[in-house]
Amino acid sequence: MRTQVVIIGGGPSGLLLSQLLYTKGIDSIVLERQTRDHVLGRIRAGVLEQGMMALMAEAGVDTRMKAKGIAHHGTLISYDNTLFRIDFQKHTGTSVMVYGQTEVTQDLYAAREAHGGQIEFEVEGVTIHDADRDAPYVTYTVGGQERRIDCDFIAGCDGFHGVSRNSIPQTSRREFEKVYPFGWLGVLSETPPVNDEIIYANSERGFALCSMRNDQLSRYYIQCSMADKPQDWSDDAFWQELKRRIPQDQAAQLITGPSIEKSIAPLRSFVTEPMRWGRLFLCGDAAHIVPPTGAKGLNTAASDVHYLFTGLCQHYLDKTDEGLDQYSEKALARVWKAERFSWWFSSLMHRYPDQSEFDLRMQRAELEFLRSSDAAQKALAENYVGLPY
C-alpha cells in the first residue's frame, strides 16, 4: 500500500489528525493495535480546552459536542472546609467544555467511517523503517497477513507504551520524568454530579476530585497509595472516604450509587525531546505525559496535532517545510508550559508522604493566596482554559 501519512494509533489524537488531513485532501491510514470497541471503552479525560474545541470544529465533528457537552465557566477549589471559585469567564472571557474523551473518539470514528477513512484494527508487530531517510515505510501483520505501507511521513500517536518513541535511537532522544508517590482511585457512577462545576479538594486525608460526564454520569477520584488495588476499595468505602475529603455541605448532598467502572491511575510527568526524528513525528502520550490534575493530557495532544497538521498542510499545499522543521520546537514549548501547570497544581492539591510541617504551611499559604488574589486566579484560569497555540 501507499499513502501520504501513516498514523500509528487509533485514539483521539490519531483520529483527529486523520480527519483534519482529510479536510485538506491529504491521505492517511490509521493503524490501531486494539479493537474499535476496546478503544471506545477506555475511560479517560473529560475537559476540553478552547483549542481542542476549535480543532473539533475545523475537523467538522463538533455537532454532538455542541449539543451534549457542558460548558463550564469556572471551577471550585476547597481546603479546610473552605470552598472558593475560579471564574474563567471573568479572567479569560472563555470557558471549557465537559465532554468525555470516549464521546470525542466516537465522533471521530463516525466521521472517518462516513468519509471512507482507512483504519486497520488489531494490527500486530508494527515496525517503522527508514524514518531517518526519504522513503519511510511501516510493516505490520493483521489477521496473520504481513502488510507494508510506503509513505511520506509517519505520525506516532500510539501512546506511552507504543512503538513510535522507541523507534527513535536512544542516542537521538532525551527523556525527563517525575513519578509521583501516589495514584488516583477513580469511580464512574450513574448518579447526578454533586455540583454543577468540578471540585478540586485538598484535605488532610489527601486529594479528591468531583467531576462529571453528563447530568446523570459522575466521575470521582481520591488520592490513594500506589500499593492499593481497585478491589481493595468497596463502593461504600470509596464514598465514605470521598465525603471526608470534600466540604461538609457538598458531602451532605452527594448522591452515591454502584460504581460502573473503578480503576487506579498512576501519576507521572514525562517528556521526550525532540518530538521529531527524520520523517517520524511524535504526538500526545507518545511524547509526553502529564498528571491528570488540570486536565491537560488530551488537550496537550491536541496542540501537537495542531502543529503537525499545520506543518503537513504547508508541505503538501504550500510546498514549504517550515512548519515541519519547527514542529518539535513549537510543540515542546507548549508542552513544557502544560507540564509546569500540571506539576504546580498537583503539588498544590495533594498530600505527599515526605511533606514536613513547613511544607504543609507553605501549601496552605499558597491556597490562601490563590483564594484572595485576582492575579493568581487569572494565572490559573489562563492555564486551565488553555494557552494559545
Side-chain angles (χ1 to χ4, degrees):
M1 291 183 286
R2 166 90 199 167
T3 193
Q4 291 172 301
V5 184
V6 170
I7 300 172
I8 304 175
S13 57
L15 294 170
L16 179 59
L17 177 61
S18 181
Q19 178 65 13
L20 286 166
L21 292 173
Y22 163 79
T23 67
K24 299 299 183 181
I26 300 169
D27 294 330
S28 66
I29 296 176
V30 178
L31 304 179
E32 170 54 46
R33 184 170 61 91
Q34 303 288 353
T35 65
R36 185 182 190 277
D37 287 344
H38 184 277
V39 176
L40 288 172
R42 295 170 181 156
I43 304 298
R44 292 290 188 271
V47 177
L48 307 185
E49 293 178 352
Q50 288 290 311
M52 177 65 177
M53 287 186 270
L55 285 174
M56 293 281 283
E58 187 173 0
V61 292
D62 63 335
T63 302
R64 209 162 64 96
M65 177 188 74
K66 287 180 176 178
K68 294 193 172 185
I70 306 170
H72 273 207
H73 306 302
T75 195
L76 300 165
I77 295 177
S78 78
Y79 68 101
D80 293 345
N81 211 39
T82 299
L83 188 70
F84 65 95
R85 184 173 186 265
I86 307 293
D87 189 329
F88 300 154
Q89 282 286 333
K90 171 186 173 182
H91 294 297
T92 71
T94 58
S95 57
V96 295
M97 180 76 77
V98 174
Y99 190 65
Q101 180 172 314
T102 299
E103 305 300 324
V104 171
T105 308
Q106 188 173 323
D107 294 342
L108 288 165
Y109 271 141
R112 295 312 299 126
E113 289 162 3
H115 296 111
Q118 191 168 349
I119 305 174
E120 297 260 27
F121 292 101
E122 297 183 86
V123 302
E124 297 178 336
V126 174
T127 306
I128 297 169
H129 303 268
D130 295 345
D132 57 339
R133 300 180 184 179
D134 291 337
Y137 64 98
V138 176
T139 58
Y140 61 98
T141 61
V142 59
Q145 292 186 332
E146 294 185 5
R147 297 186 182 178
R148 167 175 169 154
I149 308 177
D150 293 275
C151 58
D152 300 327
F153 302 102
I154 301 167
C157 305
D158 51 346
F160 183 76
H161 299 289
V163 68
S164 297
R165 184 180 71 258
N166 291 316
S167 296
I168 302 175
Q170 290 188 350
T171 53
S172 298
R173 57 186 162 98
R174 186 178 180 191
E175 297 180 350
F176 306 84
E177 184 175 36
K178 175 181 175 60
V179 178
Y180 295 79
F182 42 73
W184 278 16
L185 171 64
V187 160
L188 192 68
S189 64
E190 292 177 324
T191 55
V194 67
N195 195 289
D196 291 339
E197 293 184 327
I198 295 172
I199 300 174
Y200 290 87
N202 175 313
S203 84
E204 63 180 12
R205 300 181 66 89
F207 171 77
L209 173 65
C210 303
S211 185
M212 71 289 291
R213 292 296 178 266
N214 57 51
D215 59 6
Q216 289 299 321
L217 188 63
S218 297
R219 185 67 165 164
Y220 296 104
Y221 296 95
I222 59 172
Q223 176 184 345
C224 68
S225 167
M226 282 308 299
D228 288 357
K229 297 179 174 57
Q231 57 267 30
D232 297 337
W233 287 83
S234 67
D235 286 354
D236 184 61
F238 175 87
W239 293 122
Q240 291 302 317
E241 186 59 30
L242 177 64
K243 288 179 179 180
R244 295 185 184 105
R245 300 187 187 193
I246 61 177
Q248 292 175 3
D249 60 334
Q250 300 298 309
Q253 60 191 33
L254 177 69
I255 297 175
T256 65
S259 63
I260 58 175
E261 192 270 347
K262 188 185 296 177
S263 58
I264 292 178
L267 271 66
R268 170 190 287 121
S269 297
F270 174 87
V271 180
T272 189
E273 296 183 355
M275 289 172 57
R276 175 188 184 178
W277 185 62
R279 289 175 174 258
L280 169 63
F281 298 83
L282 302 181
C283 274
D285 288 0
H288 43 78
I289 300 285
V290 291
T293 327
K296 292 296 162 219
L298 175 60
N299 291 299
T300 308
S303 67
D304 296 345
V305 168
H306 163 77
Y307 292 122
L308 183 53
F309 170 58
T310 301
L312 290 168
C313 287
Q314 289 177 357
H315 173 83
Y316 286 112
L317 305 179
D318 302 329
K319 309 304 179 185
T320 174
D321 283 339
E322 182 180 358
L324 292 178
D325 292 340
Q326 294 179 351
Y327 168 73
S328 183
E329 179 184 356
K330 285 188 173 181
L332 282 168
R334 194 176 187 280
V335 163
W336 277 112
K337 291 173 185 175
E339 292 281 353
R340 183 211 68 83
F341 175 68
S342 299
W343 161 81
W344 169 80
F345 204 20
S346 296
S347 300
L348 180 67
M349 300 307 298
H350 292 82
R351 292 301 171 101
Y352 289 71
D354 60 349
Q355 274 181 308
S356 66
E357 288 298 319
F358 178 86
D359 296 331
L360 291 170
R361 292 295 192 277
M362 288 297 98
Q363 191 179 67
R364 180 187 173 87
E366 181 87 358
L367 284 161
E368 292 183 346
F369 177 68
L370 179 62
R371 180 177 61 83
S372 60
S373 167
D374 261 12
Q377 291 186 17
K378 180 176 171 53
L380 189 153
E382 287 177 344
N383 281 272
Y384 201 97
V385 302
L387 298 175
Y389 292 166

